[in-house]
Amino acid sequence: MIIKPRVRGFLCTTTHPVGCDANVRQQIDYVRAQGPIENGPKKVLVIGASTGYGLASRISAAFGAGAATLGIFFEKEGTEKKPGTAGWYNSAAFHKYAEAEGLYAKSINGDAFSDEIKQKTIDTIKADLGQVDLVVYSLAAPRRQHPVTGVVHSSTLKPIGSDTVQKGVNTDKGEIQDFHLEAASQEEIDNTVAVMGGEDWQMWIDALDEAGVLAEGAKTTAYTYIGEKITWDIYWHGTIGAAKKDLDKRVVDIRERLAKNGGDARVSVLKAVVTQASAAIPAMPIYLAILFKVMKEQGVHEGCIEQVDGLFRDSLYGATPRLDDEGRLRADGKELAPAVQETVAEIWGRISTENLTSESDFDGYRQEFLRLFGFEIDGVDYEADVDPVVPISNLV
């Protein structure tokens, strides 16, 4: 099968297995080039391990600290007629490279919100690892079936309090336009918090701790994004922000639970990057395109792997963690630097369809978006016939 990208809005409906493999390999090479992570984790559970920051966490733990990793994700395998999801191919590549290094790697494919997958994870840890010393929570799902009530909650991308008009870009046409966003109802806010907030993270830690599979001194982190004023209406002050603020509330109890055994729990703040989730937020593609231009010009641009590798070295396992007043670990300093944000704000004020490509790195944004699906990777022959059926070894 010769696979080409098919993009509709913020979705790419095709994926390239060889490209995904090459993308994973590049991230592994980056981590290795930084040298070993001193005092890093040895047995790691990554919940949401197949794309973005979760995948980068698994790669950093395995190839930076030599850790055994167990990954949880919900992905589709390819068939002879249709490619699988990018997360499936990413995970298959990760397994291949980890096993070539003699590193333990197993994965569980299923609904991480369910009690069934939590129990399967606990059973696997008990059988293979005994205990884990780091739990990374990096789920990005549009809906969640609550394991207790059975209710299916769906998240929304809406402002809170009042309607708003936000500048964005039609990624299909490359045109700047205004997006009118209706204010969320309380039910929509509550549903978004149920999907993207901290309840499931807390349920995971409670279940793991009660099962005795958290090692003494175990750490856990969940990822968040705060950003700056340009994105606050739809993000930090919107429904997603309400969910992220729920992480800040939940982490207090999680930290207290783990502290009893010498452990710790932190929310980690990361910078804006291109992900399947961020591509769906109206203001983010244009904000990212401007941010890329500015950070590249200032020599401080970072993607997922640079962010997470730095987080592990500087804060999670560093001697002097970068903490804010709320007790969060911060890895977003380069994005929020005044020199960056002031320039971004200036460009934001004058960006238009006519100057989109000159005033922003929209081409770079589109390339990063396609890279999520295995396209636009240097060294990959996209005219070659590839097999879309790629098994994941050691799938539990």
Side-chain angles (χ1 to χ4, degrees):
M1 181 184 291
I2 296 174
I3 306 173
K4 300 290 185 180
R6 288 187 204 155
V7 179
R8 295 177 193 160
F10 57 86
L11 292 174
C12 183
T13 59
T14 52
T15 54
H16 200 283
V18 178
C20 289
D21 185 294
N23 194 9
V24 169
R25 180 77 217 184
Q26 288 178 8
Q27 294 184 62
I28 291 170
D29 289 344
Y30 175 84
V31 171
R32 279 183 171 150
Q34 312 313 306
I37 297 173
E38 293 184 20
N39 304 310
K42 294 305 174 191
K43 297 177 181 179
V44 179
L45 170 64
V46 182
I47 304 159
S50 56
T51 61
Y53 280 129
L55 175 64
S57 302
R58 193 173 193 186
I59 290 170
S60 296
F63 294 94
T69 61
L70 175 60
I72 315 299
F73 49 74
F74 204 3
E75 302 290 353
K76 289 184 180 178
E77 186 173 7
T79 67
E80 292 182 359
K81 294 183 178 181
K82 186 178 181 182
T85 55
W88 180 276
Y89 293 136
N90 292 340
S91 300
F94 174 86
H95 273 253
K96 181 180 75 173
Y97 292 120
E99 287 153 22
E101 291 292 310
L103 295 170
Y104 172 98
K106 283 191 178 180
S107 294
I108 297 172
N109 190 31
D111 179 6
F113 294 128
S114 70
D115 290 340
E116 175 193 358
I117 295 300
K118 289 181 176 68
Q119 189 58 52
K120 184 180 280 192
T121 302
I122 288 166
D123 293 342
T124 304
I125 294 171
K126 285 182 175 179
D128 293 0
L129 303 172
Q131 294 180 318
V132 293
D133 56 10
L134 173 65
V135 179
V136 174
Y137 189 86
S138 185
L139 278 191
R143 65 188 60 83
R144 171 192 180 208
Q145 182 171 9
H146 198 285
V148 177
T149 66
V151 173
V152 176
H153 301 276
S154 295
S155 61
T156 56
L157 299 168
K158 290 188 175 184
I160 292 176
S162 61
D163 295 3
T164 188
V165 175
Q166 193 165 54
K167 186 185 297 183
V169 60
N170 181 318
T171 51
D172 290 337
K173 298 179 180 179
E175 296 177 355
I176 299 293
Q177 64 185 62
D178 287 336
F179 290 83
H180 179 263
L181 303 166
E182 292 184 358
S185 66
Q186 189 59 50
E187 182 180 9
E188 288 173 322
I189 297 168
D190 293 343
N191 278 326
T192 305
V193 171
V195 177
M196 304 176 71
E199 184 186 36
D200 185 61
W201 180 28
Q202 188 165 11
M203 285 180 162
W204 267 101
I205 298 303
D206 288 351
L208 294 165
D209 190 34
E210 287 164 12
V213 295
L214 294 179
E216 184 175 353
K219 298 182 179 186
T220 185
T221 190
Y223 296 141
T224 196
Y225 175 70
I226 295 177
E228 256 294 350
K229 295 176 182 177
I230 288 173
T231 61
W232 278 358
D233 279 354
I234 188 61
Y235 202 98
W236 191 244
H237 292 165
T239 51
I240 305 177
K244 295 303 184 182
K245 289 167 188 173
D246 188 62
L247 289 177
D248 291 330
K249 295 176 185 175
R250 301 271 183 175
V251 74
V252 176
D253 288 340
I254 298 171
R255 187 181 305 140
E256 188 177 301
R257 176 187 268 268
L258 295 189
K260 294 174 183 176
N261 203 23
D264 193 25
R266 298 285 163 182
V267 172
S268 294
V269 187
L270 301 174
K271 74 175 284 288
V273 293
V274 182
T275 65
Q276 293 181 53
S278 68
I281 302 169
M284 289 306 287
I286 186 59
Y287 171 75
L288 284 163
I290 297 171
L291 183 70
F292 282 8
K293 177 181 173 65
V294 174
M295 293 188 77
K296 285 177 181 178
E297 287 177 348
Q298 296 187 15
V300 293
H301 179 67
E302 291 180 325
C304 285
I305 196 63
E306 292 87 358
Q307 277 276 287
V308 170
D309 179 81
L311 174 72
F312 272 57
R313 295 173 193 275
D314 298 338
S315 291
L316 274 175
Y317 296 96
T320 54
R322 297 174 181 175
L323 291 165
D324 65 14
D325 293 341
E326 301 294 327
R328 308 183 194 99
L329 298 177
R330 300 300 292 250
D332 59 342
K334 292 177 181 178
E335 176 187 358
L336 299 187
V340 170
Q341 285 300 317
E342 287 167 10
T343 307
V344 169
E346 288 173 9
I347 296 172
W348 182 269
R350 62 175 182 264
I351 197 79
S352 67
T353 299
E354 289 70 31
N355 64 20
L356 177 61
T357 55
S358 61
E359 292 282 13
S360 77
D361 187 17
F362 189 59
D363 290 339
Y365 168 82
R366 285 206 278 210
Q367 183 182 42
E368 286 298 315
F369 174 76
L370 289 172
R371 284 173 64 89
L372 297 175
F373 305 93
F375 300 104
E376 296 282 334
I377 310 290
D378 291 342
V380 177
D381 182 0
Y382 291 102
E383 301 302 325
D385 193 17
V386 297
D387 187 353
V389 179
V390 181
I392 296 177
S393 56
N394 281 329
L395 198 62
V396 178

